[in-house]
Structures are given as structure tokens and as C-alpha cells.
Amino acid sequence: MCYAIPGRVESVEGRHVAVSYYGQIKRAVNELYSLSPGDYVYAQGGFVVQKVSPAEAEIILSTWKELFFELQELDSASIRPSLMNIAPDSKLAEILKAAEDVKTLSEDDLTFLLSLEKRSEIDALCGAANRLRHSISQSSCCVHGIIEISNNCRNSCRYCGINNSNARLSRYRMSEDEILSAAREAVAKFGFKSLVLQSGEDCARPIDELVGIVRRLQKDNPVFLIISFGEYVGWSGLEALYDAGARGLLTRFETSNPEIFSKLHPDSTLEERLAFIRRAGEIGYLITSGGLVGLPGQNKRDLARDVLLCRELGSQMYSFGPFIPHPDTALAGRRTASEIEMLKVTAACRLAAPPEAVVPVTSAFETISRDARKKAMQSGANSLMLNLTPLKYRAMYSIYPSRAHESESLDAQIADATDLLKSLGRVPMDIGIRTQRAEISTSASTTP
Ligand code: 5AD
């Protein structure tokens, strides 16, 4: 399976193109090619990443066509009727209805949703999020691959296993060649169209070197590239990395509660973190942010504020993971967030986020629950992440213990993800940007 299907350019307005995937229209920004209606492209993260010849595109599209509509039907069949099993005049029904009408949810509404305890009510919340996901992004699911390029870190974040005071951890730093060859394999051999490069705040790698890696990676591989190196790159580094071709930034604020933030982060402040993320947004990066669920001292209102902070930051991907205590940190022995808490957060993100934002299933969630992917994808999630870090380094990127996919080959991960997408009726393709609900609901009558 390829990690995105190509689409046909329907119309071009300056940098903005409308791309049709068997009649489903998604918007994308084109910075790279001269495009006209009838051309074929791959898009990721709402950006055109590659133009392909009509002959190549048509072969892929004809192999996919039947399956595409089958999967779409399967997904549609999984959507449950509105507000099943809850009283229609209840507060919950009122909030879910407002959310499905894409009305903005308040902090009180989100706190209420995150505090639900009854199974039937949580099911209604997750069902509403799934229905909204379906109405805004239909069967599309974006698939990213992450390469963790170094576990060296200058910081001492209290929860993180790769913090610089963990002397028990063996450290690694992938060389430029190793990074480029992992990226090349992901793109050329496995068809990934979106990559994340992540590391601890590894000061021993100069920013210029990172910029060079990003530039070469972009030159050789048509891909939507997200960087996640923390704040050490600075504002000037953010600009240089953008100029080199990075288009997404993954930096979590971790918690919107300043007191909890300062207890956990001796090396930075919430204000600085937020200023960094906002600066990236101004430069033009697509922002992925979010936080940890179940941190010591965190309550439901904090989580509601986290979700709203994502929205305020203009985040296009809401990335939340459960806090998992690492034995070699100050928070060893604390409790791990539960599957139910994570499902509520996933659904709350979908209901609170603007339509174009993506909700991923995070690897930490997969670590605490075998069914995380399936259940999260049925609670509003529409994005998956596969781990492309070379196996010899993967276990060393020990931000929390026993990470999912720690020793799983890429082939096995791909087979697994493919089976899951097929069983749920999802198609690996771009979600697009600024897509109007009215526009995407026009159903497929034309095929490319
Ligand atoms: N449990 C869960 N997630 C963690 N991270 C770091 N340590 C842990 C932990 N113990 C997450 C942080 C960071 C991301 C790279 O890893 O949210 O942003």
C-alpha cells in the first residue's frame, strides 16, 4: 500500500489548488510546481509534495478505485445514529449536538465531557466524534512516519526518560547519512509522503547541520516534512529550517497549567514554549501541538484548557498522549493515564478542533492499550504514525518505557496499519486544508 493516493487538480487559484480524490475535493497549497487542471499530484498536510505523470497516477488510481469506494462504504456503515442511548434533552445531548454543528465548545463544555464516567455517555461522546470526523474528512486517514534522530537532550524534564540526568541510558546520534538513508527508504521503497524528524534538544548537533539535512532530504525526496527538535533551534533556526523546506513543527506545550509546567520543566517556561510555537505559526509552519494526559496534579479543567490552547495556537494536529511514568525519572511510580481518559481526550479534540485539524493516534496511547488505534480511530482520530527509526536505535529513544513498535520491523508495522485501515474503511490520503464541509459533502460523481 502507498501512504497517499494521488489526486487530480481540479482548479488553481494562485498558490491554492483544489484536488479531487475520486470526486472528494481537498484543498492544498502548491509552492513547487506549475499546475493546471488535469494534472496529478500527491498532497500531504495540505501541501502539494509531488507532481506525478498522468500515466503513473492513473495506474495507481485504477488499482485503488474499487477498494476506495468499498472502504468508503465500510466507514459510512460504521457511523452510528445521532445521540443513541442518551436522553435527547440532557446537557450531554445539547453539547454534542452543538459540537456536531461545528459550534465552538466552551471550557465548561469540554470539562463536562472529559468528566463523563458512565459507559453509555462516553460511548455517545466517542460516537459523536466519529460521526463528526466522518462528515469532515470522510474516509481519509493521513499516515506519517517518524525518524528519531538523536536521544541526546540538554533538558531535565521530570517525566521524560531521555532527560539529561538519566545516566542509565545509552545515547545515540544518527549521522546525516543514516538519517538520509532512512528517509530515502521510507519515501522511495515504502511510499511515505510525510515524515517527522524528531530528537531531544541535542545541542551537540549544530543548527546548520540540521538545516543541511533538511535541505538534502527535501531535495532528494518529495515529502511533507515536520520537524520536532524542541526549542533549542531558536527562532532563527525555525526560519532557516523553514527556508530549507521543513513545513510542519511538532512541539507540544505539554500542559497549559503554568504551575504544573514549571514543576516539570526546570529549563523552560510555558510562556517561552508558547512564544516559540506561535513564532513557528507566523513563519508559516503547520503546527502540531498538544500535551500529556494524566500528569500529577492535572485535573479535567486543565485538560479542557489544553484542548482549547491547541485551538488558540492554530494547531492543525492535536497531539495528546498519556503520561507513562519512566522508572529512571523523578516521576517513577506515578499512575499512567487510562485508555478511557485517552478516548475522552481524543473525542474532545475532534469536537473542539476546527474541521481541517487532524487528530492522530499517538504512539504513547498505543503503548498503554493494544486496541488504542482501533478505538481512537472510532472516536474521532484520523491519523497514524509509524516508527521509521532504525531498529538498532529504537529502544534507546526511551522517552517512556516499553514503547509500542519498539522492536517491530517497518514491514510488520505497515502490514498492521494496512490491515487496520482496511478493517475500518479508511484510505491513506491527504486530509487537506481549509476544506469547507459543504464542498466535501458533494459526492463522487466524476472519477479521475
Ligand atoms: N510519558 C508519555 N509521553 C512522554 N513524553 C516524554 N516523556 C513522556 C512520558 N514519560 C512525550 C512528551 C514529548 C514527546 C516527544 O514525548 O510529550 O513532547
Side-chain angles (χ1 to χ4, degrees):
M1 182 173 79
C2 52
Y3 282 95
I5 55 171
R8 189 182 64 180
V9 174
E10 290 290 300
S11 61
V12 182
E13 253 175 63
R15 294 167 73 234
H16 292 263
V17 290
V19 184
S20 164
Y21 300 88
Y22 302 103
Q24 271 189 35
I25 305 291
K26 315 269 181 182
R27 307 233 155 246
V29 169
N30 167 43
E31 302 178 321
L32 300 175
Y33 303 99
S34 145
L35 292 176
S36 329
D39 285 336
Y40 287 90
V41 293
Y42 283 107
Q44 272 295 299
F47 284 85
V48 171
V49 293
Q50 190 182 7
K51 183 176 174 182
V52 276
S53 73
E56 189 182 329
E58 274 155 21
I59 292 173
I60 298 169
L61 288 167
S62 65
T63 2
W64 260 95
K65 189 172 170 189
E66 206 172 312
L67 184 60
F68 181 91
F69 289 105
E70 250 173 51
L71 293 178
Q72 224 180 11
E73 233 169 77
L74 187 61
D75 184 27
S76 302
S78 77
I79 303 304
R80 280 180 282 137
S82 218
L83 310 182
M84 224 169 56
N85 301 332
I86 54 164
D89 55 354
S90 61
K91 180 172 176 184
L92 175 58
E94 202 182 296
I95 297 175
L96 295 182
K97 227 182 119 340
E100 286 197 58
D101 290 341
V102 201
K103 300 221 171 82
T104 315
L105 295 186
S106 67
E107 187 181 307
D108 282 348
D109 292 340
L110 285 166
T111 307
F112 176 83
L113 295 178
L114 293 164
S115 308
L116 294 174
E117 294 287 348
K118 272 200 206 148
R119 191 69 242 191
S120 58
E121 293 182 337
I122 296 170
D123 283 351
L125 165 65
C126 294
N130 192 33
R131 207 164 38 246
L132 182 60
R133 184 273 311 156
H134 178 257
S135 83
I136 59 186
S137 64
Q138 297 177 308
S139 49
S140 36
C141 175
C142 58
V143 181
H144 308 272
I146 186 165
I147 308 174
E148 293 142 345
I149 65 171
S150 164
N151 70 352
N152 291 280
C153 190
R154 66 174 179 174
N155 293 334
S156 323
C157 307
R158 297 284 182 243
Y159 48 83
C160 185
I162 67 169
N163 80 78
N164 74 357
S165 43
N166 181 4
R168 298 175 56 155
L169 184 70
S170 308
R171 304 282 170 170
Y172 74 92
R173 176 177 301 116
M174 285 172 69
S175 69
E176 180 168 337
D177 281 351
E178 284 179 308
I179 298 168
L180 293 177
S181 89
R184 204 172 307 119
E185 186 183 39
V187 175
K189 181 167 167 204
F190 294 107
F192 280 84
K193 303 290 176 200
S194 171
L195 294 183
V196 182
L197 294 187
Q198 187 176 80
S199 69
E201 298 212 357
D202 184 1
C203 298
R205 173 135 38 210
I207 310 300
D208 284 353
E209 191 179 315
L210 281 178
V211 170
I213 292 170
V214 165
R215 183 165 293 119
R216 274 183 283 281
L217 193 154
Q218 279 295 20
K219 189 169 151 276
D220 299 340
N221 307 279
V223 80
F224 179 70
L225 186 63
I226 300 172
I227 52 163
S228 182
F229 306 132
E231 289 176 65
Y232 100 98
V233 300
W235 287 21
S236 57
L238 276 179
E239 279 176 32
L241 289 158
Y242 188 90
D243 290 342
R247 285 293 173 270
L249 177 89
L250 164 52
T251 301
R252 284 180 175 167
F253 50 80
E254 313 294 358
T255 171
S256 59
N257 180 322
E259 264 169 50
I260 301 180
F261 189 98
S262 68
K263 277 192 195 141
L264 298 176
H265 302 98
D267 314 288
S268 67
T269 67
L270 180 58
E271 262 182 9
E272 283 162 356
R273 178 71 56 93
L274 296 180
F276 180 79
I277 298 171
R278 289 200 172 101
R279 179 72 197 127
E282 285 163 10
I283 293 172
Y285 281 99
L286 182 147
I287 301 297
T288 296
S289 197
L292 287 165
V293 177
L295 287 169
Q298 186 185 50
N299 60 34
K300 304 285 189 276
R301 188 162 293 276
D302 291 322
L303 280 175
R305 289 185 178 146
D306 290 353
V307 174
L308 290 176
L309 180 54
C310 259
R311 190 168 173 126
E312 190 198 314
L313 290 169
S315 191
Q316 303 260 359
M317 210 190 287
Y318 285 44
S319 170
F320 284 84
F323 160 61
I324 305 174
H326 192 293
D328 300 325
T329 63
L331 298 183
R334 298 300 186 113
R335 74 175 269 280
T336 303
S338 70
E339 181 190 281
I340 285 287
E341 285 174 282
M342 279 309 303
L343 288 175
K344 286 193 281 184
V345 170
T346 305
C349 285
R350 178 65 281 155
L351 296 180
E356 70 276 12
V358 168
V359 180
V361 189
T362 55
S363 312
F365 189 11
E366 292 177 44
T367 299
I368 62 155
S369 155
R370 275 174 61 91
D371 293 331
R373 272 190 177 163
K374 183 162 174 240
K375 289 184 179 169
M377 296 276 277
Q378 291 168 326
S379 306
N382 55 359
S383 171
L384 292 181
M385 182 86 83
L386 273 52
N387 195 313
L388 311 176
T389 308
L391 270 170
K392 66 175 172 180
Y393 297 129
R394 218 179 286 162
M396 283 192 253
Y397 200 75
S398 171
I399 44 185
Y400 48 84
S402 311
R403 290 192 309 148
H405 317 296
E406 204 164 66
S407 52
E408 205 177 328
S409 71
L410 187 49
D411 286 300
Q413 288 185 65
I414 288 176
D416 214 45
T418 309
D419 287 350
L420 179 86
L421 292 179
K422 286 190 176 157
S423 73
L424 292 172
R426 305 294 172 87
V427 184
M429 60 191 262
D430 191 34
I431 310 275
I433 47 153
R434 283 166 233 132
T435 311
Q436 300 303 311
R437 263 148 67 83
E439 250 176 335
I440 55 173
S441 62
T442 36
S443 77
S445 52
T446 49
T447 51

